[in-house]
mmCIF file of all heavy atoms in Angstrom:
data_model
loop_
_atom_site.group_PDB
_atom_site.id
_atom_site.type_symbol
_atom_site.label_atom_id
_atom_site.label_comp_id
_atom_site.label_asym_id
_atom_site.label_seq_id
_atom_site.Cartn_x
_atom_site.Cartn_y
_atom_site.Cartn_z
ATOM 1 N N ARG P 1 -4.999 -9.059 18.416
ATOM 2 C CA ARG P 1 -4.378 -10.326 18.780
ATOM 3 C C ARG P 1 -3.551 -10.930 17.641
ATOM 4 O O ARG P 1 -3.179 -12.108 17.709
ATOM 5 C CB ARG P 1 -5.450 -11.324 19.223
ATOM 6 C CG ARG P 1 -6.087 -10.989 20.567
ATOM 7 C CD ARG P 1 -5.073 -11.043 21.687
ATOM 8 N NE ARG P 1 -5.691 -10.803 22.995
ATOM 9 C CZ ARG P 1 -5.004 -10.672 24.120
ATOM 10 N NH1 ARG P 1 -3.680 -10.763 24.086
ATOM 11 N NH2 ARG P 1 -5.621 -10.456 25.265
ATOM 12 N N TRP P 2 -3.256 -10.136 16.618
ATOM 13 C CA TRP P 2 -2.455 -10.670 15.521
ATOM 14 C C TRP P 2 -1.059 -11.121 15.957
ATOM 15 O O TRP P 2 -0.571 -12.157 15.476
ATOM 16 C CB TRP P 2 -2.356 -9.649 14.388
ATOM 17 C CG TRP P 2 -3.426 -9.814 13.359
ATOM 18 C CD1 TRP P 2 -4.436 -8.954 13.080
ATOM 19 C CD2 TRP P 2 -3.602 -10.919 12.470
ATOM 20 N NE1 TRP P 2 -5.236 -9.448 12.080
ATOM 21 C CE2 TRP P 2 -4.742 -10.663 11.683
ATOM 22 C CE3 TRP P 2 -2.922 -12.116 12.267
ATOM 23 C CZ2 TRP P 2 -5.200 -11.532 10.711
ATOM 24 C CZ3 TRP P 2 -3.382 -12.994 11.289
ATOM 25 C CH2 TRP P 2 -4.507 -12.701 10.531
ATOM 26 N N PRO P 3 -0.352 -10.394 16.830
ATOM 27 C CA PRO P 3 0.978 -10.880 17.229
ATOM 28 C C PRO P 3 0.939 -12.287 17.821
ATOM 29 O O PRO P 3 1.794 -13.123 17.512
ATOM 30 C CB PRO P 3 1.422 -9.836 18.271
ATOM 31 C CG PRO P 3 0.696 -8.590 17.890
ATOM 32 C CD PRO P 3 -0.650 -9.066 17.416
ATOM 33 N N GLN P 4 -0.043 -12.547 18.684
ATOM 34 C CA GLN P 4 -0.146 -13.881 19.279
ATOM 35 C C GLN P 4 -0.494 -14.933 18.231
ATOM 36 O O GLN P 4 0.000 -16.068 18.282
ATOM 37 C CB GLN P 4 -1.194 -13.875 20.397
ATOM 38 C CG GLN P 4 -0.800 -13.081 21.639
ATOM 39 C CD GLN P 4 -1.018 -11.584 21.492
ATOM 40 O OE1 GLN P 4 -1.536 -11.114 20.481
ATOM 41 N NE2 GLN P 4 -0.616 -10.838 22.511
ATOM 42 N N LEU P 5 -1.351 -14.557 17.273
ATOM 43 C CA LEU P 5 -1.708 -15.510 16.226
ATOM 44 C C LEU P 5 -0.504 -15.828 15.351
ATOM 45 O O LEU P 5 -0.324 -16.967 14.907
ATOM 46 C CB LEU P 5 -2.859 -14.953 15.380
ATOM 47 C CG LEU P 5 -3.431 -15.901 14.320
ATOM 48 C CD1 LEU P 5 -3.921 -17.187 14.960
ATOM 49 C CD2 LEU P 5 -4.565 -15.227 13.560
ATOM 50 N N GLN P 6 0.335 -14.826 15.098
ATOM 51 C CA GLN P 6 1.545 -15.070 14.316
ATOM 52 C C GLN P 6 2.468 -16.040 15.049
ATOM 53 O O GLN P 6 3.116 -16.893 14.421
ATOM 54 C CB GLN P 6 2.276 -13.751 14.047
ATOM 55 C CG GLN P 6 1.590 -12.856 13.027
ATOM 56 C CD GLN P 6 1.780 -13.363 11.603
ATOM 57 O OE1 GLN P 6 2.108 -14.516 11.366
ATOM 58 N NE2 GLN P 6 1.550 -12.492 10.639
ATOM 59 N N GLU P 7 2.528 -15.936 16.360
ATOM 60 C CA GLU P 7 3.334 -16.887 17.120
ATOM 61 C C GLU P 7 2.795 -18.304 16.956
ATOM 62 O O GLU P 7 3.556 -19.267 16.805
ATOM 63 C CB GLU P 7 3.358 -16.495 18.597
ATOM 64 C CG GLU P 7 4.144 -15.231 18.894
ATOM 65 C CD GLU P 7 4.132 -14.885 20.370
ATOM 66 O OE1 GLU P 7 3.566 -15.681 21.155
ATOM 67 O OE2 GLU P 7 4.676 -13.839 20.740
ATOM 68 N N LEU P 8 1.463 -18.434 16.986
ATOM 69 C CA LEU P 8 0.854 -19.745 16.790
ATOM 70 C C LEU P 8 1.197 -20.286 15.410
ATOM 71 O O LEU P 8 1.470 -21.479 15.247
ATOM 72 C CB LEU P 8 -0.662 -19.653 16.953
ATOM 73 C CG LEU P 8 -1.440 -20.940 16.668
ATOM 74 C CD1 LEU P 8 -1.149 -21.990 17.726
ATOM 75 C CD2 LEU P 8 -2.942 -20.663 16.603
ATOM 76 N N ALA P 9 1.182 -19.405 14.401
ATOM 77 C CA ALA P 9 1.464 -19.840 13.033
ATOM 78 C C ALA P 9 2.857 -20.424 12.899
ATOM 79 O O ALA P 9 3.122 -21.225 11.989
ATOM 80 C CB ALA P 9 1.291 -18.667 12.067
ATOM 81 N N MET P 10 3.769 -20.032 13.802
ATOM 82 C CA MET P 10 5.140 -20.545 13.752
ATOM 83 C C MET P 10 5.370 -21.677 14.744
ATOM 84 O O MET P 10 6.492 -22.167 14.880
ATOM 85 C CB MET P 10 6.124 -19.405 14.017
ATOM 86 C CG MET P 10 6.115 -18.327 12.940
ATOM 87 S SD MET P 10 7.355 -17.029 13.214
ATOM 88 C CE MET P 10 6.637 -16.194 14.641
ATOM 89 N N ALA P 11 4.321 -22.102 15.434
ATOM 90 C CA ALA P 11 4.472 -23.132 16.465
ATOM 91 C C ALA P 11 4.710 -24.504 15.851
ATOM 92 O O ALA P 11 4.339 -24.781 14.702
ATOM 93 C CB ALA P 11 3.233 -23.160 17.357
ATOM 94 N N ASN P 12 5.293 -25.375 16.639
ATOM 95 C CA ASN P 12 5.522 -26.752 16.216
ATOM 96 C C ASN P 12 4.198 -27.507 16.164
ATOM 97 O O ASN P 12 3.348 -27.358 17.045
ATOM 98 C CB ASN P 12 6.489 -27.435 17.192
ATOM 99 C CG ASN P 12 6.966 -28.772 16.683
ATOM 100 O OD1 ASN P 12 6.192 -29.713 16.576
ATOM 101 N ND2 ASN P 12 8.252 -28.856 16.393
ATOM 102 N N ASP P 13 4.024 -28.338 15.132
ATOM 103 C CA ASP P 13 2.773 -29.083 14.979
ATOM 104 C C ASP P 13 2.487 -29.996 16.162
ATOM 105 O O ASP P 13 1.326 -30.344 16.419
ATOM 106 C CB ASP P 13 2.814 -29.920 13.695
ATOM 107 C CG ASP P 13 2.515 -29.091 12.459
ATOM 108 O OD1 ASP P 13 2.157 -27.908 12.610
ATOM 109 O OD2 ASP P 13 2.639 -29.628 11.336
ATOM 110 N N SER P 14 3.520 -30.396 16.885
ATOM 111 C CA SER P 14 3.293 -31.289 18.028
ATOM 112 C C SER P 14 2.578 -30.589 19.178
ATOM 113 O O SER P 14 2.083 -31.245 20.095
ATOM 114 C CB SER P 14 4.629 -31.853 18.524
ATOM 115 O OG SER P 14 5.464 -30.816 19.015
ATOM 116 N N LEU P 15 2.483 -29.251 19.122
ATOM 117 C CA LEU P 15 1.841 -28.499 20.188
ATOM 118 C C LEU P 15 0.413 -28.072 19.870
ATOM 119 O O LEU P 15 -0.424 -27.988 20.768
ATOM 120 C CB LEU P 15 2.668 -27.244 20.511
ATOM 121 C CG LEU P 15 4.114 -27.452 20.975
ATOM 122 C CD1 LEU P 15 4.780 -26.096 21.193
ATOM 123 C CD2 LEU P 15 4.177 -28.286 22.244
ATOM 124 N N VAL P 16 0.120 -27.768 18.601
ATOM 125 C CA VAL P 16 -1.118 -27.049 18.291
ATOM 126 C C VAL P 16 -2.383 -27.877 18.488
ATOM 127 O O VAL P 16 -3.476 -27.310 18.578
ATOM 128 C CB VAL P 16 -1.079 -26.476 16.855
ATOM 129 C CG1 VAL P 16 0.015 -25.441 16.718
ATOM 130 C CG2 VAL P 16 -0.928 -27.582 15.820
ATOM 131 N N ALA P 17 -2.302 -29.186 18.540
ATOM 132 C CA ALA P 17 -3.510 -29.989 18.754
ATOM 133 C C ALA P 17 -4.079 -29.807 20.156
ATOM 134 O O ALA P 17 -5.269 -30.040 20.376
ATOM 135 C CB ALA P 17 -3.220 -31.469 18.493
ATOM 136 N N ASP P 18 -3.247 -29.368 21.096
ATOM 137 C CA ASP P 18 -3.695 -29.160 22.471
ATOM 138 C C ASP P 18 -4.187 -27.724 22.619
ATOM 139 O O ASP P 18 -3.418 -26.776 22.432
ATOM 140 C CB ASP P 18 -2.545 -29.420 23.435
ATOM 141 C CG ASP P 18 -2.983 -29.438 24.897
ATOM 142 O OD1 ASP P 18 -4.059 -28.882 25.204
ATOM 143 O OD2 ASP P 18 -2.244 -29.993 25.717
ATOM 144 N N PRO P 19 -5.462 -27.512 22.978
ATOM 145 C CA PRO P 19 -5.973 -26.144 23.133
ATOM 146 C C PRO P 19 -5.163 -25.300 24.116
ATOM 147 O O PRO P 19 -5.128 -24.074 23.997
ATOM 148 C CB PRO P 19 -7.406 -26.353 23.644
ATOM 149 C CG PRO P 19 -7.769 -27.739 23.243
ATOM 150 C CD PRO P 19 -6.501 -28.522 23.260
ATOM 151 N N PHE P 20 -4.482 -25.961 25.063
ATOM 152 C CA PHE P 20 -3.724 -25.237 26.079
ATOM 153 C C PHE P 20 -2.677 -24.312 25.463
ATOM 154 O O PHE P 20 -2.381 -23.232 26.008
ATOM 155 C CB PHE P 20 -3.039 -26.239 27.024
ATOM 156 C CG PHE P 20 -2.140 -25.603 28.054
ATOM 157 C CD1 PHE P 20 -2.669 -25.062 29.213
ATOM 158 C CD2 PHE P 20 -0.761 -25.544 27.855
ATOM 159 C CE1 PHE P 20 -1.838 -24.470 30.161
ATOM 160 C CE2 PHE P 20 0.068 -24.950 28.798
ATOM 161 C CZ PHE P 20 -0.464 -24.415 29.953
ATOM 162 N N PHE P 21 -2.108 -24.707 24.338
ATOM 163 C CA PHE P 21 -1.017 -23.937 23.744
ATOM 164 C C PHE P 21 -1.499 -22.848 22.794
ATOM 165 O O PHE P 21 -0.675 -22.146 22.205
ATOM 166 C CB PHE P 21 -0.063 -24.886 23.004
ATOM 167 C CG PHE P 21 0.685 -25.808 23.923
ATOM 168 C CD1 PHE P 21 0.328 -27.146 24.029
ATOM 169 C CD2 PHE P 21 1.728 -25.339 24.698
ATOM 170 C CE1 PHE P 21 1.006 -27.998 24.888
ATOM 171 C CE2 PHE P 21 2.415 -26.185 25.561
ATOM 172 C CZ PHE P 21 2.053 -27.518 25.658
ATOM 173 N N TRP P 22 -2.796 -22.689 22.657
ATOM 174 C CA TRP P 22 -3.302 -21.634 21.780
ATOM 175 C C TRP P 22 -3.353 -20.307 22.538
ATOM 176 O O TRP P 22 -3.711 -20.273 23.719
ATOM 177 C CB TRP P 22 -4.698 -22.007 21.267
ATOM 178 C CG TRP P 22 -4.629 -23.005 20.146
ATOM 179 C CD1 TRP P 22 -4.081 -24.255 20.190
ATOM 180 C CD2 TRP P 22 -5.109 -22.837 18.814
ATOM 181 N NE1 TRP P 22 -4.199 -24.879 18.978
ATOM 182 C CE2 TRP P 22 -4.828 -24.029 18.109
ATOM 183 C CE3 TRP P 22 -5.756 -21.801 18.156
ATOM 184 C CZ2 TRP P 22 -5.166 -24.203 16.780
ATOM 185 C CZ3 TRP P 22 -6.102 -21.977 16.824
ATOM 186 C CH2 TRP P 22 -5.809 -23.158 16.144
ATOM 187 N N PRO P 23 -3.016 -19.203 21.869
ATOM 188 C CA PRO P 23 -3.037 -17.896 22.533
ATOM 189 C C PRO P 23 -4.465 -17.445 22.818
ATOM 190 O O PRO P 23 -5.409 -17.849 22.136
ATOM 191 C CB PRO P 23 -2.358 -16.971 21.516
ATOM 192 C CG PRO P 23 -2.591 -17.621 20.194
ATOM 193 C CD PRO P 23 -2.566 -19.098 20.463
ATOM 194 N N ASN P 24 -4.629 -16.594 23.801
ATOM 195 C CA ASN P 24 -5.948 -16.123 24.204
ATOM 196 C C ASN P 24 -6.687 -15.456 23.041
ATOM 197 O O ASN P 24 -6.109 -14.708 22.254
ATOM 198 C CB ASN P 24 -5.840 -15.127 25.352
ATOM 199 C CG ASN P 24 -5.412 -15.785 26.648
ATOM 200 O OD1 ASN P 24 -5.327 -17.013 26.735
ATOM 201 N ND2 ASN P 24 -5.132 -14.985 27.655
ATOM 202 N N ALA P 25 -7.977 -15.730 22.969
ATOM 203 C CA ALA P 25 -8.880 -15.047 22.033
ATOM 204 C C ALA P 25 -10.250 -15.025 22.696
ATOM 205 O O ALA P 25 -11.016 -15.979 22.599
ATOM 206 C CB ALA P 25 -8.930 -15.760 20.685
ATOM 207 N N ASN P 26 -10.517 -13.918 23.395
ATOM 208 C CA ASN P 26 -11.747 -13.786 24.178
ATOM 209 C C ASN P 26 -12.558 -12.593 23.711
ATOM 210 O O ASN P 26 -12.149 -11.855 22.818
ATOM 211 C CB ASN P 26 -11.410 -13.653 25.669
ATOM 212 C CG ASN P 26 -10.637 -14.839 26.218
ATOM 213 O OD1 ASN P 26 -9.526 -14.678 26.704
ATOM 214 N ND2 ASN P 26 -11.211 -16.020 26.144
ATOM 215 N N LEU P 27 -13.730 -12.423 24.317
ATOM 216 C CA LEU P 27 -14.591 -11.304 23.980
ATOM 217 C C LEU P 27 -13.816 -9.988 24.128
ATOM 218 O O LEU P 27 -13.188 -9.738 25.151
ATOM 219 C CB LEU P 27 -15.816 -11.301 24.885
ATOM 220 C CG LEU P 27 -16.894 -10.261 24.574
ATOM 221 C CD1 LEU P 27 -17.517 -10.525 23.221
ATOM 222 C CD2 LEU P 27 -17.964 -10.278 25.667
ATOM 223 N N GLY P 28 -13.852 -9.163 23.101
ATOM 224 C CA GLY P 28 -13.116 -7.911 23.087
ATOM 225 C C GLY P 28 -11.831 -7.967 22.305
ATOM 226 O O GLY P 28 -11.261 -6.920 21.957
ATOM 227 N N ASP P 29 -11.343 -9.178 22.016
ATOM 228 C CA ASP P 29 -10.142 -9.312 21.191
ATOM 229 C C ASP P 29 -10.501 -9.170 19.722
ATOM 230 O O ASP P 29 -11.624 -9.487 19.301
ATOM 231 C CB ASP P 29 -9.469 -10.660 21.443
ATOM 232 C CG ASP P 29 -8.867 -10.744 22.841
ATOM 233 O OD1 ASP P 29 -8.551 -9.683 23.401
ATOM 234 O OD2 ASP P 29 -8.723 -11.865 23.358
ATOM 235 N N ASP P 30 -9.547 -8.714 18.936
ATOM 236 C CA ASP P 30 -9.795 -8.458 17.515
ATOM 237 C C ASP P 30 -8.768 -9.187 16.661
ATOM 238 O O ASP P 30 -7.557 -9.065 16.883
ATOM 239 C CB ASP P 30 -9.728 -6.959 17.220
ATOM 240 C CG ASP P 30 -10.152 -6.628 15.790
ATOM 241 O OD1 ASP P 30 -9.335 -6.819 14.863
ATOM 242 O OD2 ASP P 30 -11.301 -6.199 15.610
ATOM 243 N N ILE P 31 -9.275 -9.963 15.713
ATOM 244 C CA ILE P 31 -8.435 -10.592 14.695
ATOM 245 C C ILE P 31 -9.157 -10.410 13.362
ATOM 246 O O ILE P 31 -10.197 -11.014 13.130
ATOM 247 C CB ILE P 31 -8.205 -12.093 14.962
ATOM 248 C CG1 ILE P 31 -7.620 -12.316 16.353
ATOM 249 C CG2 ILE P 31 -7.290 -12.692 13.903
ATOM 250 C CD1 ILE P 31 -7.515 -13.784 16.755
ATOM 251 N N ALA P 32 -8.638 -9.547 12.532
ATOM 252 C CA ALA P 32 -9.237 -9.255 11.227
ATOM 253 C C ALA P 32 -10.693 -8.828 11.357
ATOM 254 O O ALA P 32 -11.507 -9.081 10.463
ATOM 255 C CB ALA P 32 -9.124 -10.470 10.292
ATOM 256 N N GLY P 33 -11.013 -8.152 12.454
ATOM 257 C CA GLY P 33 -12.396 -7.741 12.686
ATOM 258 C C GLY P 33 -12.874 -6.630 11.780
ATOM 259 O O GLY P 33 -14.076 -6.421 11.641
ATOM 260 N N GLY P 34 -11.945 -5.905 11.159
ATOM 261 C CA GLY P 34 -12.325 -4.818 10.265
ATOM 262 C C GLY P 34 -12.328 -5.192 8.801
ATOM 263 O O GLY P 34 -12.577 -4.333 7.942
ATOM 264 N N ASP P 35 -12.066 -6.462 8.491
ATOM 265 C CA ASP P 35 -12.118 -6.896 7.090
ATOM 266 C C ASP P 35 -13.529 -6.737 6.548
ATOM 267 O O ASP P 35 -14.512 -7.001 7.255
ATOM 268 C CB ASP P 35 -11.689 -8.357 6.957
ATOM 269 C CG ASP P 35 -10.181 -8.525 7.050
ATOM 270 O OD1 ASP P 35 -9.487 -7.512 7.258
ATOM 271 O OD2 ASP P 35 -9.698 -9.667 6.934
ATOM 272 N N THR P 36 -13.639 -6.350 5.301
ATOM 273 C CA THR P 36 -14.945 -6.076 4.710
ATOM 274 C C THR P 36 -15.266 -7.032 3.575
ATOM 275 O O THR P 36 -14.378 -7.675 3.001
ATOM 276 C CB THR P 36 -15.006 -4.638 4.175
ATOM 277 O OG1 THR P 36 -14.115 -4.512 3.053
ATOM 278 C CG2 THR P 36 -14.590 -3.638 5.240
ATOM 279 N N LEU P 37 -16.531 -7.114 3.257
ATOM 280 C CA LEU P 37 -16.984 -7.862 2.092
ATOM 281 C C LEU P 37 -16.216 -7.386 0.861
ATOM 282 O O LEU P 37 -15.962 -6.193 0.699
ATOM 283 C CB LEU P 37 -18.480 -7.632 1.894
ATOM 284 C CG LEU P 37 -19.171 -8.461 0.809
ATOM 285 C CD1 LEU P 37 -19.595 -9.801 1.384
ATOM 286 C CD2 LEU P 37 -20.395 -7.729 0.270
ATOM 287 N N HIS P 38 -15.828 -8.309 -0.015
ATOM 288 C CA HIS P 38 -15.203 -7.959 -1.290
ATOM 289 C C HIS P 38 -16.166 -8.276 -2.423
ATOM 290 O O HIS P 38 -16.918 -9.263 -2.362
ATOM 291 C CB HIS P 38 -13.896 -8.727 -1.489
ATOM 292 C CG HIS P 38 -12.706 -8.045 -0.867
ATOM 293 N ND1 HIS P 38 -12.733 -7.518 0.405
ATOM 294 C CD2 HIS P 38 -11.452 -7.800 -1.352
ATOM 295 C CE1 HIS P 38 -11.549 -6.994 0.692
ATOM 296 N NE2 HIS P 38 -10.766 -7.140 -0.369
ATOM 297 N N PHE P 39 -16.110 -7.460 -3.458
ATOM 298 C CA PHE P 39 -16.987 -7.627 -4.613
ATOM 299 C C PHE P 39 -16.140 -7.394 -5.864
ATOM 300 O O PHE P 39 -15.931 -6.272 -6.293
ATOM 301 C CB PHE P 39 -18.153 -6.637 -4.549
ATOM 302 C CG PHE P 39 -19.249 -6.885 -5.545
ATOM 303 C CD1 PHE P 39 -20.303 -7.733 -5.242
ATOM 304 C CD2 PHE P 39 -19.220 -6.281 -6.794
ATOM 305 C CE1 PHE P 39 -21.320 -7.966 -6.161
ATOM 306 C CE2 PHE P 39 -20.232 -6.499 -7.720
ATOM 307 C CZ PHE P 39 -21.285 -7.344 -7.400
ATOM 308 N N TYR P 40 -15.620 -8.496 -6.401
ATOM 309 C CA TYR P 40 -14.709 -8.420 -7.544
ATOM 310 C C TYR P 40 -15.478 -8.362 -8.860
ATOM 311 O O TYR P 40 -16.373 -9.179 -9.115
ATOM 312 C CB TYR P 40 -13.782 -9.630 -7.569
ATOM 313 C CG TYR P 40 -12.641 -9.559 -6.590
ATOM 314 C CD1 TYR P 40 -12.577 -10.416 -5.492
ATOM 315 C CD2 TYR P 40 -11.604 -8.647 -6.763
ATOM 316 C CE1 TYR P 40 -11.523 -10.369 -4.596
ATOM 317 C CE2 TYR P 40 -10.540 -8.589 -5.877
ATOM 318 C CZ TYR P 40 -10.506 -9.449 -4.797
ATOM 319 O OH TYR P 40 -9.458 -9.402 -3.908
ATOM 320 N N VAL P 41 -15.087 -7.415 -9.709
ATOM 321 C CA VAL P 41 -15.666 -7.237 -11.037
ATOM 322 C C VAL P 41 -14.542 -7.304 -12.063
ATOM 323 O O VAL P 41 -13.461 -6.732 -11.853
ATOM 324 C CB VAL P 41 -16.410 -5.886 -11.134
ATOM 325 C CG1 VAL P 41 -16.856 -5.606 -12.562
ATOM 326 C CG2 VAL P 41 -17.612 -5.882 -10.186
ATOM 327 N N LYS P 42 -14.782 -7.974 -13.164
ATOM 328 C CA LYS P 42 -13.767 -8.138 -14.208
ATOM 329 C C LYS P 42 -13.682 -6.887 -15.078
ATOM 330 O O LYS P 42 -14.681 -6.401 -15.595
ATOM 331 C CB LYS P 42 -14.107 -9.347 -15.076
ATOM 332 C CG LYS P 42 -13.025 -9.730 -16.071
ATOM 333 C CD LYS P 42 -13.422 -11.011 -16.800
ATOM 334 C CE LYS P 42 -12.346 -11.465 -17.763
ATOM 335 N NZ LYS P 42 -12.747 -12.718 -18.469
ATOM 336 N N GLY P 43 -12.465 -6.363 -15.207
ATOM 337 C CA GLY P 43 -12.241 -5.192 -16.038
ATOM 338 C C GLY P 43 -11.974 -5.554 -17.490
ATOM 339 O O GLY P 43 -11.881 -6.733 -17.857
ATOM 340 N N ASP P 44 -11.836 -4.531 -18.325
ATOM 341 C CA ASP P 44 -11.608 -4.753 -19.755
ATOM 342 C C ASP P 44 -10.285 -5.461 -20.024
ATOM 343 O O ASP P 44 -10.128 -6.118 -21.068
ATOM 344 C CB ASP P 44 -11.631 -3.413 -20.504
ATOM 345 C CG ASP P 44 -13.006 -2.770 -20.495
ATOM 346 O OD1 ASP P 44 -14.000 -3.510 -20.320
ATOM 347 O OD2 ASP P 44 -13.095 -1.540 -20.657
ATOM 348 N N ASP P 45 -9.315 -5.321 -19.107
ATOM 349 C CA ASP P 45 -8.014 -5.960 -19.296
ATOM 350 C C ASP P 45 -7.974 -7.386 -18.767
ATOM 351 O O ASP P 45 -6.922 -8.030 -18.773
ATOM 352 C CB ASP P 45 -6.915 -5.126 -18.638
ATOM 353 C CG ASP P 45 -7.126 -4.969 -17.124
ATOM 354 O OD1 ASP P 45 -8.173 -5.442 -16.620
ATOM 355 O OD2 ASP P 45 -6.262 -4.358 -16.473
#
């Protein structure tokens, strides 16, 4: 569902407060579902 979310990101602020104008996001849809835990360690540099 990233394409639809990108459209929302470019939407006019006068629209986004109304849930009606938000793109579908239902069971089975994926948005960054494969992102993993990050574990940052400081290197010598």
Side-chain angles (χ1 to χ4, degrees):
R1 289 297 183 187
W2 268 113
Q4 291 81 4
L5 185 57
Q6 287 285 19
E7 290 180 4
L8 176 68
M10 295 183 289
N12 190 293
D13 280 353
S14 64
L15 300 178
V16 296
D18 189 340
F20 176 81
F21 293 104
W22 281 60
N24 290 352
N26 301 120
L27 186 65
D29 292 335
D30 187 281
I31 305 173
D35 283 2
T36 68
L37 187 86
H38 274 46
F39 191 88
Y40 282 112
V41 172
K42 188 175 182 180
D44 293 337
D45 61 356

